Amino acid sequence: GAPKGFALKASEQFAALAERRQQEMGQSARQATADSLEVLAAAAEQLGATVAWGEAIALAHRRIVGNGSSPLTLDALFTSILA
């Protein structure tokens, strides 16, 4: 897998994309992150990602919707799928 620093950087970049979506769509931060994870899941499926990736993304989505910490959830997601 990729170095842990790469996974954390990917997490930061994803969070920045979700923040941009929040601003452009007028959504709450939580909704923008959840929606961005749905887009990521769809893209991963289209690109033939492993079932483990899909499960990890779905778990992150559930955590965000369930009021989980966005930075911690995204760091855990990207570390699990990239590291």
Side-chain angles (χ1 to χ4, degrees), residues 38-80:
E38 290 173 13
V39 171
L40 178 62
E45 183 178 3
Q46 288 293 317
L47 294 171
T50 66
V51 171
W53 274 46
E55 290 172 351
I57 296 167
L59 176 60
H61 185 271
R62 283 194 301 276
R63 287 180 175 162
I64 293 298
V65 171
N67 211 26
S69 165
S70 194
L72 293 176
T73 299
L74 294 177
D75 285 352
L77 168 64
F78 286 98
T79 299
S80 74

Side-chain angles (χ1 to χ4, degrees), residues 6-73:
F6 178 79
L8 296 178
K9 183 67 176 171
S11 175
E12 290 173 7
Q13 291 174 338
F14 185 86
L17 289 172
E19 184 177 337
R20 183 173 170 188
R21 179 183 183 95
Q22 174 190 1
Q23 294 167 354
E24 290 178 358
M25 304 293 281
Q27 297 177 309
S28 69
R30 184 165 310 287
Q31 187 62 53
T33 302
D35 287 356
S36 296
L37 285 166
E38 290 173 13
V39 171
L40 178 62
E45 183 178 3
Q46 288 293 317
L47 294 171
T50 66
V51 171
W53 274 46
E55 290 172 351
I57 296 167
L59 176 60
H61 185 271
R62 283 194 301 276
R63 287 180 175 162
I64 293 298
V65 171
N67 211 26
S69 165
S70 194
L72 293 176
T73 299

